[in-house]
Amino acid sequence: WCLYRYATFLVVAAVLAGVVLLARDMPVGSGLYFHMSLGCIGFGSFAGIVSLRFQKIHELLGPHERPLEYYACIFGFITKWHNVSRRCSTLVLSMWAFSSICQAVMNLSLGCQQTSQPSLLACGINVLLTGLMYAVIFCKLHICCALELAVDHYCMRFFEDQSPATGIVEWNVMQALLRRAAHVIETCFLSVSTGVLGVIVLTSVEIYNMFSEMTSGDIIGLSASEGVCLGMWSGWLCPPIALTFYFVFRAAAITEKCNRVPALINSWTRMEQLIDHEKQYIVQYIMHSAAGFYVKGVRLNATWALK
């Protein structure tokens, strides 16, 4: 994770190169959308990486202080966390490769150029900027995987120990870890999401302009090459949007799991004490703690994510 300081300079260089490329190809109508989309992705990734540095992500993930990894080691889910995170990395790398291939085919193909001339430079900038965005998204997913497992293992430990006092202490520790992790990545989350939102808006305008100039007969009579170009365009555009929504729902899942903890603990019964005041105390304590994933003070839950 110490590589983020070097990745920041790479983003700056890539964004500047993208601006130069945009200025060079500005007269080309179809290239304007492509360059502005890359600008949204680049500046969103740049702001996300800078925010991670300012929020001191190195004090959460290392290389020196590693409270999240230390917590996972103490409570025995470090291996499971790495396995889940490895699957997320495979998903992110696959989407990055697929998106890059689609963009390369679209940019270098004779019928699908986004600029006046097929450009290897444009392909390289696209691969770099989208790759940095995917790296930032994976960093957030890596943290969310650990937080989800932390809530799951807290519930398992509570039923193993069956100690309300220990449960309250461990809940305080886990809640503090949730708040700290969410605080580190909340600005990054907003930056990347805003960049992706900009791409969605630009795409909507591009689609509207494209179809407003076509008649119904032109739409029905699209050639095979034009259909392939539209497919490549979708293949480049959909993966970053899908990953952004995927992260939103993974973050909301943390809050939803915290919401279900009181109901789970409330189902715990001790035969010698059917009316258990200690159990009711910890249930009320967890409910009023309002633990979850927060973004700038707003609790991110499934209802918010669906909106």
Side-chain angles (χ1 to χ4, degrees), residues 109-143:
S109 173
L110 294 177
C112 303
Q113 295 100 327
Q114 295 295 310
T115 57
S116 57
Q117 296 294 331
S119 174
L120 290 175
L121 177 60
C123 289
I125 292 175
N126 170 73
V127 171
L128 178 61
L129 289 180
T130 55
L132 289 171
M133 184 190 66
Y134 286 127
V136 173
I137 293 176
F138 168 70
C139 176
K140 297 185 295 182
L141 286 173
H142 181 68
I143 295 173

Side-chain angles (χ1 to χ4, degrees), residues 208-227:
Y208 174 79
N209 292 335
M210 181 176 61
F211 282 99
S212 63
E213 299 173 357
M214 300 174 64
T215 63
S216 58
D218 295 332
I219 297 175
I220 297 175
L222 287 175
S223 64
S225 61
E226 290 173 334

Side-chain angles (χ1 to χ4, degrees), residues 181-245:
H183 177 70
V184 168
I185 64 177
E186 61 182 0
T187 305
C188 177
F189 164 72
L190 292 176
S191 301
V192 176
S193 300
T194 302
V196 172
L197 179 61
V199 175
I200 294 175
V201 172
L202 290 172
T203 303
S204 301
V205 174
E206 183 75 5
I207 292 175
Y208 174 79
N209 292 335
M210 181 176 61
F211 282 99
S212 63
E213 299 173 357
M214 300 174 64
T215 63
S216 58
D218 295 332
I219 297 175
I220 297 175
L222 287 175
S223 64
S225 61
E226 290 173 334
V228 171
C229 291
L230 288 175
M232 293 298 102
W233 185 21
S234 301
W236 170 71
L237 183 66
C238 292
I241 297 176
L243 273 181
T244 301
F245 282 112

Side-chain angles (χ1 to χ4, degrees), residues 30 46 86 105 120 188 212 236 301:
S30 60
F46 169 71
R86 193 175 297 113
V105 171
L120 290 175
C188 177
S212 63
W236 170 71
N301 52 27

Side-chain angles (χ1 to χ4, degrees), residues 32 34 51 63 87 91 94 99 115 150 157 168 206 285 296:
L32 181 61
F34 173 66
S51 69
R87 289 195 293 269
L91 173 65
S94 300
S99 176
T115 57
R157 290 194 309 274
I168 290 176
E206 183 75 5
Y285 185 88
K296 298 299 180 181

Side-chain angles (χ1 to χ4, degrees), residues 232-266:
M232 293 298 102
W233 185 21
S234 301
W236 170 71
L237 183 66
C238 292
I241 297 176
L243 273 181
T244 301
F245 282 112
Y246 177 67
F247 168 75
V248 170
F249 282 100
R250 288 299 293 263
I254 299 171
T255 302
E256 294 302 319
K257 287 187 176 185
C258 291
N259 288 339
R260 291 194 290 268
V261 171
L264 179 65
I265 294 178
N266 197 51

